[in-house]
Amino acid sequence: MATKEDEEYEQYLRLVGENVRKARWKAGLTQEQAASGVVAFRILAEIERGAANPTLQTLFMLGRRLGVSVRDLVETGHEVPLDVPLRDVQTEPPKRGRKPKK
């Protein structure tokens, strides 16, 4: 039985696939041209249908081929933006070591 998170993730994959397809159309490429040297043609078709879970490397390479960023491919419009982008956050890593005994 699919959980709510499973359903949300499946919807997210479909939206990412739509973004990949739109970027490919914007670049004026066929699936074969876009996939060449990046992924197998059938994998690209599955990504565009939301039936595949592309790796970050695949998204990076597709983005380069299509002239867009990984961010363009994965943004779906449902994200809640952070007040400060993570790249600008000033923070220290958590302390290392053993957890305190109770």
Side-chain angles (χ1 to χ4, degrees):
M1 183 169 166
T3 66
K4 182 179 182 204
E5 288 81 16
D6 292 337
E7 292 171 8
E8 288 176 357
Y9 188 66
E10 288 175 14
Q11 176 66 18
Y12 180 74
L13 284 178
R14 282 191 294 277
L15 293 171
V16 168
E18 289 176 17
N19 288 346
V20 171
R21 181 180 294 120
K22 288 176 186 177
R24 179 176 60 79
W25 288 349
K26 183 175 180 257
L29 299 176
T30 65
Q31 285 181 328
E32 293 89 354
Q33 292 167 327
S36 179
V38 177
V39 293
F41 160 74
R42 290 183 180 168
I43 298 297
L44 178 58
E46 288 180 5
I47 292 170
E48 289 187 0
R49 285 194 319 271
N53 186 5
T55 65
L56 186 56
Q57 181 180 13
T58 298
L59 291 172
F60 178 81
M61 298 300 289
L62 281 172
R64 281 195 153 179
R65 170 69 49 85
L66 302 174
V68 298
S69 69
V70 172
R71 181 179 180 173
D72 294 326
L73 297 176
V74 300
E75 281 189 334
T76 64
H78 296 96
E79 299 84 7
V80 177
L82 298 172
D83 293 333
V84 177
L86 288 175
R87 67 180 171 272
D88 297 334
V89 171
Q90 301 295 321
T91 187
E92 296 292 322
K95 292 181 181 178
R96 302 187 101 188
R98 300 181 71 166
K99 293 183 180 179
K101 294 181 181 179
K102 293 185 178 186

